[in-house]
Amino acid sequence: MESAKLLQAIIETAIDGIITIDDRGRIESLNPSALKIFGYKEQELIGKNISLLMPEPDRSRHDGYLLNYQTTGEKKIIGKGREVKGLRKDGTQFPFRLAVSEVQYQDRMIYTGFIHDLSKEKEAEESLKRYASELEELVGNRTKSLKKMLHELEIAKEEANVSLEKEKELNRMKSRFVSMASHEFRTPLSSMQLSVILIEKYLQVSDSLQIVKHLHKIKTAIGGLNGILNDFLSLEKLEAGIVHPNHCLFDVIRFSEELTEEMQLITKEDQIIIYQHTGSESEINLDQNLLKNCLMNLMSNAIKYSGEHTLIEFSTEINEDRYVFSVKDNGIGIPEDDHSGLFQPFFRAHNTGNIPGTGLGLNIVDRYVRLMDGKIHFESTFGKGTEFTLSFPKN
């Protein structure tokens, strides 16, 4: 009796469900766990066919399984455990592991089913799958983000390299500017200072010829400094983006003749500027002030870098689709190694020596020309001379 009570206590308190059925599949007993798992009360199941707790297609097939075993001995319902589906009273299905044993009891066969609910394990398994899927997606997204970040870093690196090169170029420009400014400002200022001292001396002896000579030197030095300051001002305006072409119609022949007369006043001894126009038309549509600045710079360079008793050729042409301007000299020329850097700010050719200049003029000319949709071209032979050509679309 004690053993029977102990066994009953074990069955009543077992975590897994325990169900016994007879050889016709009718339920004889259920422990509390089985009732809880399926959601029934004991009186609702006792005497009912076990198939009541099975979803289709197992419900329809169960009696066949049991009959087949009883007639052939083939143990389809007997085993150590297999995963099947259960049907709760509320109609929901759930997975459980089923192990069935047969017991010979009082001259008859009964079958005992041990039911282990797998719902929580399956939920945990699904959660793990979802987590793995989410993790995989997260890793995939992070990988994409990392690749994008690496790509952006590469772009940033390239931009940084470009910025570094620009900074290096800026530093080189600053260095050239300091060198240029040191020379170009100090030289005329020293000259003016010396001339003022000499003028004071010559005033005491009333030497008007020497006074006029040094006043001319001061005037020339002031003009040079004014040119430097004008170059700086032009460059600042260009950098600020406040220079805009203002095209208008004007007579290029009259414009060029007046410019030639003006530039002839600053030529060296016996330097002659010859002007020539080609084409039946004379009216052009460009920004007159920007064009004048460009040509004055080119002609000033021709005067500055050519010797005395030389010829400077200035020509204009209007053809079918373009306006063309040319300034040609017979001066010192530009070394071939300096051609590539000629239009960079503060750049000066290596053969300029003590000839004054800021290295800004051609950079400003190039930028003015491009503002008017034009192009600048030059040909130069070292020691023989240089020719600059500006061309603009006629429309």
Side-chain angles (χ1 to χ4, degrees), residues 175-189 225 228 232 346 357-358:
S175 177
R176 290 199 296 265
F177 167 73
V178 170
S179 176
M180 177 278 301
S182 174
H183 179 269
E184 298 301 328
F185 278 91
R186 185 169 58 233
T187 300
L189 288 173
L225 289 175
I228 293 172
F232 288 161
F346 303 111
T358 63

Side-chain angles (χ1 to χ4, degrees), residues 123-181:
E123 288 175 5
E125 185 178 331
E126 288 301 318
S127 296
L128 186 61
K129 286 181 180 178
R130 284 195 302 271
Y131 176 75
S133 177
E134 291 171 0
L135 185 61
E136 185 178 353
E137 184 179 358
L138 180 62
V139 171
N141 291 336
R142 290 290 174 85
T143 302
K144 289 180 182 178
S145 298
L146 183 59
K147 288 181 179 178
K148 182 180 178 182
M149 189 183 298
L150 289 172
H151 179 64
E152 291 173 349
L153 283 173
E154 286 297 323
I155 294 175
K157 181 180 177 182
E158 292 177 5
E159 291 176 349
N161 288 336
V162 172
S163 299
L164 183 60
E165 287 302 316
K166 287 183 178 179
E167 185 177 352
K168 288 181 178 178
E169 178 59 26
L170 182 61
N171 288 334
R172 286 193 290 268
M173 287 171 57
K174 287 179 180 178
S175 177
R176 290 199 296 265
F177 167 73
V178 170
S179 176
M180 177 278 301

Side-chain angles (χ1 to χ4, degrees), residues 332-340 349-352 378 380-383:
I332 62 175
I334 303 167
E336 188 172 348
D337 291 343
D338 292 331
H339 285 193
S340 61
H350 291 87
N351 63 329
T352 55
F378 74 94
S380 183
T381 303
F382 179 64

Side-chain angles (χ1 to χ4, degrees), residues 255-263 292 295-296 299:
F255 165 84
S256 300
E257 287 176 346
E258 291 177 354
L259 179 61
T260 301
E261 290 179 7
E262 184 178 343
M263 298 305 296
K292 183 177 181 179
L295 294 173
M296 285 182 68
M299 294 172 76

Side-chain angles (χ1 to χ4, degrees), residues 15 32 114 134 180 243:
I15 295 174
F114 300 90
E134 291 171 0
M180 177 278 301
V243 180

Side-chain angles (χ1 to χ4, degrees), residues 26-39:
R26 291 176 300 190
I27 299 172
E28 291 190 350
S29 67
L30 304 93
N31 74 338
S33 290
L35 293 170
K36 183 179 179 181
I37 289 171
F38 287 96

Side-chain angles (χ1 to χ4, degrees), residues 54-55 58 82-86 94-98 115 118:
M54 301 175 184
D58 290 335
R82 60 193 178 98
E83 188 175 321
V84 295
K85 289 282 188 179
F94 67 98
F96 66 90
R97 183 175 294 107
L98 173 65
I115 300 163
L118 297 174

